Amino acid sequence: MSAAESEANTLPRRSAGRTGAKAARSYPPSLAGEPSLPYPAIGRELAELRHGIPGVHGCVLGGVDGLLITHNLQTEVDPNDLAALAATTFGLGRQVGLRLGQGEFRQSTVRNDGGYLSVYAVSPQALLAVVGEDTINVARLHLTAPAVAGRLAGLLAGDDAG
């Protein structure tokens, strides 16, 4: 794998020398441009999930480092904050799996008075976070989202990225 191919297959990372403001984001060439739509196929997957399950307010695709890759949120929630929350959820879930000897993180759901946040592993570097209202059919979400995460993993790896 060439250096350019390796760089194209990595997720955005914080730049060194953060100055207190938001860290600069550097997107690989395949994700360059507007971070809200890195490629149409990813946007289609997120849209199908949002429209296919009543009560889903939107999805965030983010890195395990908490950086936003893309989103289709239909709420006032800051997608950057949600990407960071998903990474925090991943970190906790990963520690639980390690401490209990249960293996790698796959999924976690948090229920609050007004809704749900479910986080799914997409790849070792990416997470899918889904925000929904309290009336969402969580069982349907848990049946649908892992397949979406699998397809997203293929897209991020460069399989059928169009």
Side-chain angles (χ1 to χ4, degrees):
M1 181 180 288
S2 73
E5 289 172 322
S6 176
E7 182 179 325
N9 290 326
T10 61
L11 293 174
R13 300 284 179 219
R14 289 181 176 87
S15 64
R18 188 172 177 179
T19 62
K22 286 194 176 187
R25 291 182 179 88
S26 107
Y27 290 90
S30 62
L31 301 178
E34 187 63 37
S36 63
L37 291 172
Y39 2 87
I42 289 176
R44 283 190 299 271
E45 288 291 342
L46 297 181
E48 286 176 19
L49 183 57
R50 185 169 60 84
H51 294 296
I53 301 176
V56 170
H57 293 298
C59 309
V60 167
L61 182 62
V64 296
D65 60 1
L67 291 178
L68 176 67
I69 296 171
T70 190
H71 74 92
N72 69 354
L73 287 175
Q74 303 298 305
T75 67
E76 67 282 350
V77 175
D78 182 339
N80 292 292
D81 289 347
L82 194 52
L85 286 171
T88 301
T89 302
F90 162 76
L92 175 61
R94 183 171 173 260
Q95 286 301 311
V96 169
L98 288 171
R99 298 289 178 226
L100 297 178
Q102 295 176 335
E104 294 295 318
F105 173 84
R106 294 285 173 234
Q107 181 271 328
S108 179
T109 297
V110 175
R111 181 179 182 203
N112 296 303
D113 286 339
Y116 289 88
L117 169 65
S118 289
V119 179
Y120 301 87
V122 170
S123 71
Q125 296 88 24
L127 303 166
L128 171 65
V130 181
V131 178
E133 55 195 44
D134 193 46
T135 59
I136 192 172
N137 183 334
V138 178
R140 184 172 173 190
L141 177 63
H142 290 336
L143 289 172
T144 306
V148 172
R151 290 190 298 272
L152 290 170
L155 292 169
L156 289 173
D159 304 339
D160 190 32

